Each structure stands twice: as C-alpha cells, then as structure tokens.
Amino acid sequence: MAKRLAVALGLWALGGPLGLHHLYLGRDSHALLWILTLGGFGAGWLCDLWHLPAWVVAANGPPRSPPRGASPPLSPPRVAGQLLVGGYFGLLGTLGVPWVPTPLAVALGVLLVASVGDQASDPPRVLAAAFLAALFFQGRVLPTSLATTAVASWHRRFEPPRPPPPPLPARLYRLALGVAAFWAPLAWGAISGALGVAGTAL
C-alpha cells in the first residue's frame, strides 16, 4: 500500500515522540530509537518534519542497491546522536542497573543509532571498542561513548536492500521486545532499590 505524506504528517503530529510516523513508513529501528528516547530527546522529532517528504518517497519507491564499495557520507547529526544515545544508555545502566556492564549499554545505544535508515556499523568492533574504552577510561561514560562513536562512524556502511517488512503484528512484537529489554532491567533496579530502602527503614 502506498504511503501518504498527509498520514505521515498526522502521525508525526499525534505520536511523533513515540515514532508512529517511522512505524508507518517501515523505519522500525528509527521507531524504536524514538520510543526509547522520546523522539530523540524532542529535538529529533522536530527535525523529522523536514525529512518526512523524502522518507515517504523512499518508502514508496523500489529498494535501491548501495553503490559498490562506497561508504555513507559522514553525518554530523548521526554522530551526535550516537554520542548522546550511547551516553544516555550508559548513564541509565550505571545509575539504574549496576549489574549491566556500562560498555555494553553504551555500545547498544551507539549501534541503535547507527542502524537507522539504510546504514549500519560493525557490531563486534563497536562492542570491542566500548569495552576497551571503558577499561582505559575506568568506566567513565562520556569518553567511552565518544570512543565507541568514533569506531562506529569509522566502520559505517550501507545496508543491502532489505526484503519487504513482515506483517505489522510481527513488527509490533519485535518493537515490544526491544522496549521490554530496555525498561525491564531499569524497572527491576528501581524496585530492588525501593525494597532495599524500605527494608532499611523498617
């Protein structure tokens, strides 16, 4: 079914911070990123308005093969997003779930941003960079996120054309799993902390 700009604009206005317009256009990684960061901390949702016409055209067109051997141009907004989301994931892991390794949380945030659109990075190298940077910087989140972002940007690549997306229920199920994987450890950490405080008080 052809995607309509008017529908995408309506979903952007009604549920943009939750990525409804990305879900409509088949951009599931972008939708998950928006759900977990509330529209890219608000700024990304506002910037989406300028990109919507091109995304609708791309959603309605045939899959395009990337140029052979070419790398995507370096995108400052994508790099900034990787740095911010990697730091955000790492900070949440440090504060809310101490048993989740900080470099793993940082790497997952960076890789999520790297997978938006038709691009990707090299997960093993990004994970290795995150753990080495965390070891070198003694677990500090910001330098770990910076080093991990640099490696992810260096190894950026085009994704090959993807097959047609699965039915909407399957896509919603995968999104729900991603959201649960993000929030369940945080909820468990919050509950454990509250129970510990209550036990101490009693």
Side-chain angles (χ1 to χ4, degrees):
M1 179 184 292
K3 307 299 181 184
R4 298 181 180 275
L5 180 58
V7 176
L9 284 169
L11 292 173
W12 173 87
L14 294 174
L18 296 178
L20 293 185
H21 53 299
H22 291 302
L23 187 63
Y24 172 66
L25 295 174
R27 300 169 59 87
D28 292 354
S29 294
H30 214 155
L32 178 61
L33 176 63
W34 260 213
I35 292 170
L36 300 183
T37 62
L38 288 180
F41 311 108
W45 167 60
L46 293 175
C47 292
D48 280 354
L49 185 60
W50 283 268
H51 297 287
L52 273 179
W55 288 337
V56 170
V57 170
N60 287 324
R64 292 184 298 176
S65 297
R68 184 180 295 274
S71 295
L74 188 65
S75 167
R78 186 181 292 265
V79 171
Q82 289 173 334
L83 179 62
L84 288 173
V85 176
Y88 169 62
F89 277 35
L91 186 62
L92 286 179
T94 301
L95 297 178
V97 195
W99 42 269
V100 172
T102 299
L104 175 61
V106 171
L108 290 176
V110 170
L111 285 170
L112 179 58
V113 178
S115 70
V116 165
D118 61 351
Q119 296 186 27
S121 190
D122 190 325
R125 287 180 173 152
V126 171
L127 283 166
F131 278 92
L132 288 173
L135 183 64
F136 184 79
F137 293 112
Q138 299 178 346
R140 290 196 288 271
V141 171
L142 183 58
T144 300
S145 181
L146 184 60
T148 308
T149 295
V151 171
S153 299
W154 182 262
H155 293 286
R156 67 191 184 276
R157 65 174 191 265
F158 285 112
E159 279 283 81
R162 295 183 176 132
L168 183 60
R171 294 169 57 209
L172 291 175
Y173 176 71
R174 290 194 317 193
L175 277 176
L177 286 179
V179 172
F182 181 82
W183 286 113
L186 293 174
W188 176 255
I191 291 170
S192 299
L195 291 175
V197 170
T200 302
L202 291 174

